[in-house]
Amino acid sequence: MKFSTIIPAHNEESHIRRTLETIKKYGSKNNEIIVVLDSCTDNTEEIAREFTNKLIETNSNAPSDTRNLGAKHAEGEMLVFIDADSIISSNYYSEIQLAFERGSDYGFAKYVSESKNTIGRYIAFLTTHTIRLDKNIPGNFFIKKDIFNKQNGFLPGLVQGEDSELGSRLKKSKCNFKFLNNAYIIPS
């Protein structure tokens, strides 16, 4: 089973190294990492090149188009979208693989706050449970490539809400949703 991890990035030099380090450390051995550089003017490309040679440049300024471009170049059966400022738990990929083996088509892992303060933890909890109850997806999610392609990916040209829009279509098409309670993402 091959994973394609797609990381859309716009001037993420202060975050992307940590993101890529966790993906390299905890990712599947059969995982290609694709970084889509959207109008970067900082050192994001140089940092990303230390971890992968699959870099794609674009000037779309629309996250939906950037994500679609990464998926277009993906070779894996499973697409894993991770924001350039997020880190994953050590069991993230193994939990995704297990979800797919059990018939899931798409889903996401719970969000955990890096902050120790109550507000940060509450926001992560609220985000996770609101999206989970709606069976929708945030920016960090996983999906079978064939399901993504049947949905024609993200709606082109969206500068925000591309993940929720795709999640609504997935829900309407009765795809099998999975919430990963045993793995997590830490967004910035």
Side-chain angles (χ1 to χ4, degrees), residues 41-102:
T41 58
D42 65 359
N43 291 319
T44 301
E45 179 179 356
E46 290 77 13
I47 295 167
R49 196 170 298 286
E50 294 175 29
F51 296 88
T52 183
N53 60 2
K54 199 146 190 186
L55 302 174
I56 303 163
E57 293 187 48
T58 185
N59 290 309
S60 78
N61 293 312
S64 62
D65 297 342
T66 303
R67 290 170 178 267
N68 282 337
L69 186 59
K72 179 181 174 184
H73 287 85
E75 298 172 11
E77 304 157 72
M78 279 80 74
L79 305 179
V80 180
F81 291 90
I82 299 178
D83 290 341
D85 61 354
S86 298
I87 57 176
I88 60 170
S89 63
S90 61
N91 63 339
Y92 189 68
Y93 285 93
S94 61
E95 289 292 318
I96 292 172
Q97 183 163 341
L98 187 59
F100 283 130
E101 288 171 357
R102 292 181 176 167

Side-chain angles (χ1 to χ4, degrees), residues 47-178:
I47 295 167
R49 196 170 298 286
E50 294 175 29
F51 296 88
T52 183
N53 60 2
K54 199 146 190 186
L55 302 174
I56 303 163
E57 293 187 48
T58 185
N59 290 309
S60 78
N61 293 312
S64 62
D65 297 342
T66 303
R67 290 170 178 267
N68 282 337
L69 186 59
K72 179 181 174 184
H73 287 85
E75 298 172 11
E77 304 157 72
M78 279 80 74
L79 305 179
V80 180
F81 291 90
I82 299 178
D83 290 341
D85 61 354
S86 298
I87 57 176
I88 60 170
S89 63
S90 61
N91 63 339
Y92 189 68
Y93 285 93
S94 61
E95 289 292 318
I96 292 172
Q97 183 163 341
L98 187 59
F100 283 130
E101 288 171 357
R102 292 181 176 167
S104 299
D105 295 319
Y106 75 105
F108 79 103
K110 67 182 171 186
Y111 276 26
V112 173
S113 175
E114 193 169 29
S115 169
K116 300 295 181 203
N117 73 45
T118 304
I119 293 172
R121 290 194 324 257
Y122 178 72
I123 290 170
F125 171 83
L126 189 62
T127 300
T128 296
H129 292 288
T130 301
I131 297 169
R132 177 184 178 193
L133 291 173
D134 192 36
K135 294 185 178 177
N136 209 318
I137 51 174
N140 296 300
F141 74 101
F142 56 90
I143 186 170
K144 288 181 180 174
K145 186 176 182 180
D146 64 330
I147 299 293
F148 183 84
N149 289 337
K150 284 178 190 171
Q151 293 292 324
N152 296 312
F154 294 99
L155 189 63
L158 290 181
V159 294
Q160 63 183 10
E162 75 283 355
D163 44 7
S164 298
E165 191 281 327
L166 174 58
S168 293
R169 285 187 281 131
L170 290 166
K171 184 177 169 183
K172 286 178 187 171
S173 66
K174 308 230 186 286
C175 291
N176 294 322
F177 171 82
K178 177 64 178 173

